[in-house]
Amino acid sequence: MCGIFGANKREQFITLLELNKQRGTFATSVSCLLSNGDLVVHKWGGNTTVKIIENYLKAEEGVNFYLGHTQAPTSAERDYSKQHAHPFNTGHYTVAHNGVLTNFKELKEHFKPGGKRWLNPVDSSILPVVFCLTEEANEGKISSTHSLAQSLSLIEGTFGLWIYNSGTREIYVARNGSTVYANIYTNEFSSVKFKGSEPLQEGVLYQVTPEGLTSVAGFDHDSPFFT
């Protein structure tokens, strides 16, 4: 069990961090989206205190949005390293995940960056690979948003995700099975219910916008891709 969460205000982000700490103490990460589109990622191993993370955030300037993850490992990997901790990045996609991918083995065999076998043992690590290679295969014939929704239809299992596309500077949130609660008016979201939040709809890709969390595409979350 892991936790994903995000907010555009530091104080609310810390509140969501405190709520999600119960969901995983293997690792914690904070990703700060800066005004220039850069995503600054910091990862801590073990049961890092909220105070340490809060002090780190106070020193980070020009942040437009805060994204977080608390990790409880679901793979055989039990030794902390940044390679095994969320979020994971490939190309212009960065992803944090809560849940279990039941077709991880099939995804590894089907999606091979540079033609090479994917070696990271953490199932979530394959997600940005799937997103990037699916977008490349579409060759610009559909938008990156709809390519992302298409990618989500290939994933079997449970997931709550936040996704950052550095090419378009867009943040997305989606769920299938795993809990994600949100205040759609303020863009705040969390794996744990918080004041003023409601469950996000399954099979819907949401985007963080100035108007709030907005539904931008749907994806098939019932039909298996690999048979």
Side-chain angles (χ1 to χ4, degrees):
M1 182 172 63
C2 299
I4 64 167
F5 48 101
N8 57 10
K9 293 183 178 180
R10 187 179 67 205
E11 294 78 10
Q12 179 61 8
F13 180 77
I14 292 297
T15 298
L16 298 180
L17 169 63
E18 290 174 332
L19 289 174
N20 281 274
K21 283 292 286 181
Q22 62 182 298
R23 295 182 65 90
T25 57
F26 176 76
T28 302
S29 72
V30 170
S31 302
C32 299
L33 179 58
L34 307 184
S35 55
N36 65 0
D38 289 346
L39 191 68
V40 178
V41 179
H42 194 94
K43 301 178 182 182
W44 295 265
N47 191 13
T48 307
T49 67
V50 172
K51 189 64 177 178
I52 288 175
I53 298 173
E54 186 174 18
N55 288 338
Y56 162 75
L57 291 178
K58 286 179 180 178
E60 195 68 60
E61 299 180 353
V63 180
N64 283 359
F65 204 86
Y66 299 90
L67 296 158
H69 186 275
T70 54
Q71 184 173 353
T74 56
S75 71
E77 183 56 56
R78 289 297 185 271
D79 294 325
Y80 170 78
S81 72
K82 290 185 177 181
Q83 180 186 4
H84 299 141
H86 298 242
F88 296 98
N89 171 263
T90 297
H92 52 275
Y93 281 107
T94 302
V95 183
H97 169 227
N98 165 43
V100 177
L101 306 183
T102 57
N103 65 337
F104 177 44
K105 180 179 178 181
E106 292 84 354
L107 290 170
K108 286 195 299 181
E109 292 300 318
H110 190 82
F111 293 92
K112 298 179 180 180
K116 297 180 180 179
R117 184 167 175 245
W118 191 248
L119 298 178
N120 194 315
V122 182
D123 59 353
S124 311
S125 67
I126 197 68
L127 291 171
V129 176
V130 174
F131 300 157
C132 278
L133 294 185
T134 300
E135 188 171 308
E136 287 179 13
N138 284 322
E139 299 178 330
K141 295 175 182 177
I142 60 176
S143 69
S144 60
T145 298
H146 285 89
S147 177
L148 185 55
Q150 185 183 75
S151 300
L152 292 172
S153 297
L154 310 181
I155 300 167
E156 298 171 24
T158 59
F159 57 83
L161 304 171
W162 64 250
I163 305 160
Y164 179 59
N165 182 338
S166 63
T168 60
R169 299 186 180 183
E170 292 168 339
I171 301 171
Y172 298 94
V173 184
R175 67 175 286 250
N176 174 44
S178 297
T179 60
V180 181
Y181 299 91
N183 182 329
I184 62 171
Y185 304 105
T186 63
N187 284 318
E188 297 160 1
F189 63 89
S190 166
S191 294
V192 181
K193 188 174 178 62
F194 59 96
K195 185 177 180 181
S197 68
E198 297 292 338
L200 288 181
Q201 187 176 342
E202 293 184 84
V204 175
L205 180 63
Y206 294 86
Q207 182 181 336
V208 172
T209 74
E211 292 76 32
L213 273 176
T214 303
S215 170
V216 291
F219 59 90
D220 186 351
H221 60 293
D222 294 316
S223 177
F225 176 66
F226 299 103
T227 58

